């Protein structure tokens, strides 16, 4: 029912329940027996004063009673209830039609109840979810008890009864449950409803249809009546009623009620269909396509029959939703269906672009782009298969796009962007996929000419065919999709067209072929391969000369063409730089070039002080790019006359003047930016940023300038970046702004090569930083100084001289000591980091090495009440600063100044420890004192003589420090909430706890010296370990899948890693006991960051190195055990690697160790092909590779055989289903394993070519892609699941790895075949020759697979070229007899491919020497 109000619901419910209830009452009256009492559940009968208002309480009572009756029908063996059971069965003896009425009434009542709460703004989800299951389950149980799902008359009766009375309420209820947040009860209810609809409607319809329709039969030729009209008729009737009601009430735009169930039903139909294999997909497609047509007809969308009236918006929305479901489910909808949809409902043939339904066009293009790619009757045949029927949609589609795809230079509307991304870009990709990109270029040029010939368009209008996104896309696809000859032909045709139209029109703007210029620009930008550029060099030179001539004669009004000409000429100069020198150009050409350069400079300088138009800005940016293209060659004698340095300096001076003005105009309301597209560089701000970007991205241009220009440009750029960052700190990530340009310049690697520019940049920063330090930290000086400090952090310190680094260090220290109290938290962290970077190589001129109080002042500054946002990096910087300073002074302790510094520092250390009660609120002091105590402990022999006269002894200081740390540890245990749960201080507290644990690990002697201390410490560690681990796991569980980015997780993981280190230092845990092993594995499973994992693995490695051979063997046996599926977990594999690395070579004589490693190898080989997750597979492969390399004495012949079988399995169709994104890593890992076997165990594959060849064949097949759409022909190539898909995942680098395997087998080294040191040298040479001969007998089968796969799939040209050396290596070791045998074993098609391969081998690769 489409709409149902409260009164209707009450009436319909009573009517539907009348018959079954009265029938049940009669049966109870006739066959009542003494002792048989029917009682409902008390919880289901809450009869209260107003319990019957919404029917809820009565419904609950009826469901509870029915549930008890059904329960009594169950007879249990051994119980005396058989008579009651039979009696209850007799009570429930109803016909399927009557049970269907009861079930449908119950579903309607529940649906109405949910809808009533929703319309009354009640949260029906607050009602117990299990209540809905309790209300439905008795009715469904009654239906299951009395209905029949078998074939025959009884089964048909049940199906028709369910269709008549239950289908619509079930669909209504299903749509309501799918609209809420799923939980266990909701998901169960949805599954039950889907199962009912599938079992009694969908599957019977499918079975009847597939019996009457042959797979692949055309749908339009079917005349027999099908059961869908019978079982799904209620859905069609209600949809018709809703559509009629919408028309009568004028609600054409609604998409509610019954119509929403049509896409839901189609999705359920797809879910019930088996589409996992090619054969099943072929068999099921007629059924799915028929249901698509029928459900569309339910929404008044007649696909196969002509219609007189157009459907409403709601009907089209249903069709769009079904098409979207078909694409998501990868359904191959027949092209005739899509053609009818496009011709009837899309409006593309109406010649009115505004009436086109672009959403339908987008979906049809995604489903089957070949519908649009069919050539028209006038096009050249042979490029694509000519359609036997249907309409050509490409021409009207392109016309509509041209009519609507317009915008001005200043506007970039959302519909324009959607049209580009949803229609044009997929259309281009489809052309490229079908090798028809040259055909698209022809259509592209034709649409551009239509746009040119339109007299109503102004120079500020831009068409979608000129968009830079489209140009870049086609440019990227040129070399992969077209041959060099095709590119050259297109390039030359565009040049000829441009020349002819310019010659015909002279300086008439309308006749200049902008269409050809767009094609030329696309080719110039897209061709980067050296082979292609060499072929196009001649035409490029012609285009360059013609463009310069056009620029000389083209009037100023044609700016739209001029900026594109400037860009083409600049790109040609950068891509074909070798063409433009005095030896290859004539005097006339050089003169034209000089005039063009002067004109470009005039274009840039002509409007200084004036307001630029949008076209002027676009042309000015490209003219500046053309000017800069002369800079790299300006010092060469042959080009000095063409591009004098003075003119280039004038252009850069213009940029400097613009930056000076821009710096004054940046204010809170002005935030200049540019997204990098030439078409949107329509303002002076964007023009200036574009010019600066050209200079920053090509620093070699700046190095050619005078020193004063470099300094002034860098100074103004820094000032603009600071102003913009200060006034507009949050800019869009896709926008180029001055701060981004400044950081790019500081971080570029070219500075290491351009000494003059680097020297100028460093001198500018140091001078400005020193001046700002002298002025103080007040007002804008503090902000400016902080900006300069961040710039210094981004600059490599290797570029600065030693004197400059010392000056920066002293200025930074002075700033920290004088102004730390007024700085922001992040400022303090940045300055401390800068101080650390500037003193990496300390010397006497550093102030921090001469003032003992400096470190203490900094530590106290970091121990205040501030909450440092970046505590981890700040405290690590403080520890690093202490370590560098004290290490330098200890190394120079014999000098008097260093000795005096150390004595003063040691005395201050005693004072601070004597008056410090806790480090909990003083992280800076904790970092300083902890690192100082560590250094003094390690170098006490060197400093003991200097400090011997001091009052406190170092032992006393250690004891005091140790006691404070233990007390702080107890504080952290008691303050668990502050450690984990307080968001504002969690980072600082967690890192403080980690530092305390790190310091305690240095006191292993004190921890183990006293049993009470050890016991008390472990009593604190165990609960802390448990709390931190639980908090970490809870944080990961409660966050999104990107939980590793949670701000508190790194510090919490550091705490866990440091706790593990301290645990290893405690005396009772020095050995790797089972408890210790379990604890380490639990910690590893909790960690997410690599740094924390490395810390824990390092602690474990240190413990393992203390074990003897038997202990390591026992540890291997403990680690190699798997889970309930026999899979070794990731944490065990990580620990296994550390144990294997620690085993010495001398242990090979120990039988226990050898057996343990050998058993581990066998388990890992078995697991390699069974790991269900990619990470587990990767770790298993690494462990295998490690054993093969480090412990080859434990590898047997059986291990090699098992490993080769595993590689073969992983490249077959039975391989695990890893993600396609891991395909490259999986293939590289397999090749690495195979290569290790060949390098270290070559002697074990001599008689195992029946295992070697299948593995190589499987690796070879991985490079081929199926021809079929959506990868349906992947089974023909027997590809593994992790490679199935249309797009290739393996590249030439993977092919090179495979080729190395082939060359290693065909041309082995002498060392890989050596078996014994006592064998004569001549036998080694004989073994090499014998190995080559054996390889030549077996590897031809790899060549045969290559030829067969060429027929079944496609291969990327780059991959094919990379595979050729490996195939030639096989042909090198094949004898003439083997070649003839291989040739005879192939069929005619494979033989043709092999002939081409062998001819190329003989022509290019075969050695004809003796």
């Amino acid at each position: 029912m489409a709409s149902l109000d409260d009164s209707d619901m009450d009436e319909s419910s009573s009517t539907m329940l009348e018959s079954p209830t009265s029938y049940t009452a009669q049966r109870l009256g006739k066959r009542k027996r003494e002792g048989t009492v029917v009682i409902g559940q008390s919880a289901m009968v809450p009869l209260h004063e107003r319990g019957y208002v919404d029917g809820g309480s009565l419904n609950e009572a009826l469901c509870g009673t029915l549930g008890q009756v059904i329960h009594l029908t169950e007879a249990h063996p051994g119980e005396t209830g058989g008579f009651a059971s039979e009696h209850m069965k007799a009570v429930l003896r109803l016909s399927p039609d009557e049970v269907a009425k009861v079930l449908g009434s119950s579903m309607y009542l529940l649906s109405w109840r949910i809808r009533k709460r929703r319309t009354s703004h009640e949260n029906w989800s607050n009602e117990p979810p299990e209540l809905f299951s309790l209300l439905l389950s008795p009715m469904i149980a009654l239906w299951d008890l009395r209905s029949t799902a078998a074939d025959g008359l009884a089964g048909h009766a049940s199906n028709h009864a369910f269709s008549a009375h239950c289908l619509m309420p079930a669909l209504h209820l299903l749509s309501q449950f799918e609209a809420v947040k799923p939980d266990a009860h909701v998901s169960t209810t949805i599954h039950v409803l889907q199962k009912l609809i599938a079992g009694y409607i969908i599957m019977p319809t499918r079975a009847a249809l597939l019996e009457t329709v042959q797979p692949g039969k055309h749908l339009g030729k079917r005349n027999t009546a099908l059961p869908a009209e019978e079982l799904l008729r209620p859905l069609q009737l209600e949809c018709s009623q809703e559509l009629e009601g919408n028309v009568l009430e004028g609600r054409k735009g609604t998409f509610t009620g019954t119509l929403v169930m049509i896409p839901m039903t189609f999705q359920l139909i797809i879910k019930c269909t088996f589409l996992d294999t090619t054969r099943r997909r072929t068999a099921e497609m007629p059924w799915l396509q028929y249901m698509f047509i029928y459900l569309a007809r339910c929404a008044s969308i007649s696909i196969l029959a002509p219609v007189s009236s157009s459907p409403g918006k709601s009907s089209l929305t249903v069709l769009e939703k079904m098409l979207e479901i078909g694409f998501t489910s990868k359904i191959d909808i027949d092209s005739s269906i899509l053609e009818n949809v496009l011709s009837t409902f899309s409006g593309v043939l109406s010649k009115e672009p505004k009436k086109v339904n672009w959403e339908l066009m987008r979906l049809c293009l995604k489903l089957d782009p070949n519908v649009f790619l069919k050539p028209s009757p006038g096009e050249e045949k042979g490029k694509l298969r000519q359609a036997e029927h249907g309409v050509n949609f490409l021409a009207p589609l392109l016309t509509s796009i041209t009519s609507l795809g317009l915008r001005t230079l200043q506007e970039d509307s959302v519909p324009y962007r959607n049209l580009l991304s949803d229609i044009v870009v997929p259309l281009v990709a489809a052309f490229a996929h079908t090798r028809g990109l040259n055909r698209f270029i022809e259509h592209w040029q034709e649409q551009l000419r239509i746009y040119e010939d339109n007299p109503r368009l102004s120079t500020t209008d831009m068409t979608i065919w000129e968009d830079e996104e489209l140009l870049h896309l086609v440019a990227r696809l040129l070399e992969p999709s077209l041959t060099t000859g095709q590119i050259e032909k297109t390039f030359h045709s565009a040049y000829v067209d441009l020349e002819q139209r310019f010659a015909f029109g002279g300086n008439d703007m309308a006749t200049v072929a902008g269409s050809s210029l767009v094609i030329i620009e696309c080719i110039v930008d897209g061709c980067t391969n050296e082979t292609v550029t060499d072929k196009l060099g001649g035409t490029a030179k012609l285009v360059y000369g013609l463009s310069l001539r056009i620029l000389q004669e083209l009037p100023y009004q044609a700016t739209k063409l001029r900026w594109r000409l400037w860009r083409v000429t600049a790109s040609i100069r950068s891509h074909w730089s070798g063409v433009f020198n005095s030896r290859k150009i004539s005097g006339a050409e050089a003169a034209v070039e000089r005039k063009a350069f002067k004109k470009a400079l005039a274009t840039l300088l002509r409007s200084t002080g004036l307001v630029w138009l949008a076209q002027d800005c676009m042309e000015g940016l490209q003219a500046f790019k053309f000017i800069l293209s002369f800079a790299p060659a300006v010092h060469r004698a042959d080009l000095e006359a063409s591009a004098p340095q003075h003119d280039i300096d004038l252009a850069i001076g213009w940029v400097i003047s613009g930056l000076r003005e821009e710096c004054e105009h940046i204010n809170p309301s002005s935030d200049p930016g540019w997204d990098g597209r030439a078409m949107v560089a329509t303002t002076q701000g964007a023009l200036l940023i574009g010019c600066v970007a050209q200079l920053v991205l090509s620093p070699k241009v700046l190095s050619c300038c005078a020193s004063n220009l470099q300094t002034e440009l860098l100074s103004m750029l820094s000032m603009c970046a600071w102003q913009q960052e200060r006034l507009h700190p949050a800019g869009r990530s896709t926008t180029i702004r001055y701060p981004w340009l400044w950081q790019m310049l500081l971080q570029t690697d070219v500075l290491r090569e351009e000494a003059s520019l680097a020297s100028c940049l460093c001198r500018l920063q140091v001078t400005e930083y020193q001046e700002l330090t002298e002025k103080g930290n007040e007002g804008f000086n503090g902000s400016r100084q902080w900006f300069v400090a961040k710039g210094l952090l981004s600059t490599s310190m290797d570029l600065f001289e030693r004197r400059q680094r010392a000056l920066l260090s002293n200025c930074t220290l002075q700033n920290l000591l004088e102004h730390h109290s007024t700085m922001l938290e992040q400022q303090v962290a940045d300055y401390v980091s800068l101080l650390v970077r500037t003193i990496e190589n300390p010397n006497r001129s550093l102030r921090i090495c001469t003032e003992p109080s400096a470190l203490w002042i900094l530590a106290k500054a970091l121990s205040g009440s501030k909450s440092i946002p970046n505590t981890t990096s700040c405290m690590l910087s403080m520890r690093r600063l202490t370590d560098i300073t004290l290490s330098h002074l200890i190394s120079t302790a014999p000098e008097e100044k260093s000795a005096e510094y150390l004595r003063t520092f040691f005395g201050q250390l005693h004072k601070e420890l004597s008056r410090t009660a806790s480090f909990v609120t003083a992280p800076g002091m904790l970092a300083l004192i902890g690192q100082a105590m560590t250094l003094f402990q390690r170098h006490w022999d060197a400093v003991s003589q200097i400090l011997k006269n001091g009052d406190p002894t170092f032992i006393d200081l250690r004891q005091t420090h140790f006691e404070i740390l233990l007390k702080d540890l107890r504080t952290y245990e008691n303050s668990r909430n502050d450690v984990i749960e307080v968001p504002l201080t969690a980072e600082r507290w967690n890192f403080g706890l980690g530092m305390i644990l790190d310091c305690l690990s240095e006191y292993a002697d004190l921890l183990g010296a006293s049993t009470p201390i050890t016991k008390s410490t472990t009593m604190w560690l165990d609960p802390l370990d448990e709390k931190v681990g639980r908090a970490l796991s809870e944080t990961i569980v409660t966050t999104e899948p990107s939980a590793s980015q949670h701000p508190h997780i790194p510090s919490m993981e550091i705490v866990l890693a440091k706790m593990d280190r301290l645990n290893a230092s405690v005396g009772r845990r020095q050995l790797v006991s089972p408890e210790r092993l379990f604890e380490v594995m639990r910690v590893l499973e909790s960690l997410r960051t690599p740094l924390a994992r490395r810390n824990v693995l390092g602690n474990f490695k240190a413990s393992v190195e203390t074990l003897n051979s038997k202990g390591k063997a026992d540890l291997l046996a403990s680690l190699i055990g798997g889970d309930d599926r026999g899979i070794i977990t990731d944490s065990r594999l990580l620990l296994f690697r550390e144990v294997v690395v620690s085993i010495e070579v001398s242990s090979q004589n120990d039988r226990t160790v050898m057996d343990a490693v050998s058993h581990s190898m066998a388990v890992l080989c078995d697991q390699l092909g069974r790991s269900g997750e990619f990470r587990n597979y990767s770790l298993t492969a690494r462990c295998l590779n490690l054993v093969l390399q480090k412990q080859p004495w434990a590898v047997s012949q059986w291990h090699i055989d098992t490993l080769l079988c595993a590689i073969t399995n992983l490249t077959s169709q039975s391989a695990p289903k890893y993600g396609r994104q891991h395909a490259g890593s999986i293939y590289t890992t397999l090749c690495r394993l195979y290569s290790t076997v060949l390098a270290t165990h070559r002697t074990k594959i001599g008689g195992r070519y029946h295992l070697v060849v299948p593995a190589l064949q499987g690796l070879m097949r991985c490079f081929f892609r199926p021809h079929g759409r959506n990868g349906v022909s992947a089974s023909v190539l027997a590809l593994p699941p992790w490679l199935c898909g249309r797009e290739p995942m393996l590249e030439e680098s993977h092919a090179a790895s495979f080729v190395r395997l082939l060359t290693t087998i065909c041309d082995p080294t002498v060392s890989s075949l050596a078996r014994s040191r006592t064998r004569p040298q001549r036998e080694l040479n004989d073994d090499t020759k014998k190995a080559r001969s054996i390889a030549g007998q077996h590897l031809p089968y790899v060549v045969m697979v290559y030829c067969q796969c060429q027929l079944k799939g496609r291969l990327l040209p780059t991959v094919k070229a990379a595979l050729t050396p490996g195939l030639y290596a096989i042909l090198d070791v094949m004898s003439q007899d083997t070649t003839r045998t291989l040739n005879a074993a192939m069929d005619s098609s494979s033989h043709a491919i092999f002939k081409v391969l062998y001819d190329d081998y003989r022509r290019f690769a075969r050695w004809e020497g003796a």
Side-chain angles (χ1 to χ4, degrees), residues 236 278 369 439 480 542 607 816 883 1090 1150 1244 1272 1298:
Q236 185 177 6
T278 304
R439 185 164 160 247
L542 295 175
S607 56
L816 281 170
D883 181 69
D1150 192 332
K1244 293 185 175 66
V1272 294
F1298 178 69

Side-chain angles (χ1 to χ4, degrees), residues 900-916:
E900 183 62 28
Y901 186 105
L902 291 175
R903 282 192 289 269
T904 305
F905 186 90
F906 192 77
Q908 186 68 26
L909 179 63
H910 169 64
K911 293 179 182 179
E912 295 295 339
L913 283 175
S914 62
R915 62 190 180 194
T916 299

Side-chain angles (χ1 to χ4, degrees), residues 824-840:
L824 299 175
E825 294 85 351
Q826 189 61 48
Q827 278 183 285
V828 176
D830 289 339
Y831 281 123
V832 173
S833 300
L834 178 59
L835 184 60
V836 172
R837 293 195 60 193
T838 55
I839 66 166
E840 287 293 339

Side-chain angles (χ1 to χ4, degrees), residues 1176-1188:
N1176 188 266
Y1177 156 80
S1178 180
L1179 289 174
T1180 304
R1182 292 180 187 176
C1183 291
L1184 280 171
N1185 201 48
L1186 186 65
V1187 175
L1188 289 171

Side-chain angles (χ1 to χ4, degrees), residues 1141-1154:
V1141 172
S1142 67
I1143 297 177
E1144 300 85 0
V1145 180
S1146 58
S1147 301
Q1148 60 181 318
N1149 298 324
D1150 192 332
R1151 188 67 184 177
T1152 305
V1153 177
M1154 186 172 182

Side-chain angles (χ1 to χ4, degrees), residues 5 117 174 275 335 425 495 520 700 714 911 919 940 965 983 999 1096 1138 1157:
D5 56 13
R117 278 159 173 73
L174 181 60
L275 303 172
S335 60
V425 172
Y495 160 73
I520 289 173
K700 292 184 179 181
L714 295 176
K911 293 179 182 179
F919 294 115
W940 184 248
L965 293 174
C999 293
V1096 173
E1138 301 298 334
V1157 178

